[in-house]
Each structure stands twice: as structure tokens, then as C-alpha cells.
Amino acid sequence: SMLGGMCTLIGTSTNLVLNAQIKIDPSPPCKPFLLFAMTPAALPTALAGLALLALLAPAVLARRAPLGSKPEAGRASATSAALGKGYDVSLNDAAQAAAQGLGKGSGGGGGGGGVGG
């Protein structure tokens, strides 16, 4: 959104602040900007940024297992790594625990169900 937003006056707050300062300046260095005044300079930059993202994203972003699958053998989940050894909590486990807690009813006070409730 930032790459595309920099192409218009209203796309980023920086463009709006700069334009407001130009408008209130008693001797402005240039005329206030029109809506697409930045496009000739910003569009090539935005396209270059998109190309760079397309090239680097596969190398930078980690490959993830499909949602709902268990972690690979020998590889701890982020939750178990944060909690320590012996805590292998997956997204499915948490969702199932929350669903079971919702089915019990809250009973008025003391947590009412869900994970850890």
C-alpha cells in the first residue's frame, strides 16, 4: 500500500503534510501539488519496489506447512519453543480446547471456559 500510496497526494501522510506546509508558506518554493503530481517520479519507484518484493519474497519468507498440519519431526512449533520442552501445542489443539470450553457454558464467574479458563 505504501508503494502505491506514494503515487498520489492523498496516498501517504507525508505527502499531505508537505503539501500543507507549501500552502501556508508565505514564499513557497513551488506550487501546491495536484492529486497525481507525484506519479511521474513515484510510479517507476513503486514498480521497482514491487519487482524487488517479487524476487526477494520467496527467499526471505520461510516456507510454512499447510494450516492444521503438525510440525515436522524434530522441529518444534513456535509455541512449544517459547514455552519450553514438553509443550507441543498446535493451532488445532487450541481451537479444539476453545470449542470444548464454549460448549460447557460460563456458569458466572471464574473464567467461563476456553483455553486455560
Side-chain angles (χ1 to χ4, degrees), residues 15-66:
N15 293 349
L16 291 170
V17 169
L18 178 63
N19 196 51
Q21 291 299 317
I22 290 171
K23 284 183 178 180
I24 64 171
D25 192 344
S27 59
C30 62
K31 290 190 249 181
F33 299 120
L34 298 175
L35 183 62
F36 294 106
M38 286 96 172
T39 304
L43 187 60
T45 306
L47 293 175
L50 285 173
L52 186 65
L53 282 172
L55 289 172
L56 295 180
V60 173
L61 299 176
R63 296 192 187 269
R64 297 177 54 165

Side-chain angles (χ1 to χ4, degrees), residues 75-99:
R75 183 175 173 209
S77 67
T79 306
S80 62
L83 294 175
K85 200 169 193 172
Y87 291 96
D88 188 18
V89 181
S90 71
L91 205 55
N92 280 340
D93 296 336
Q96 288 171 356

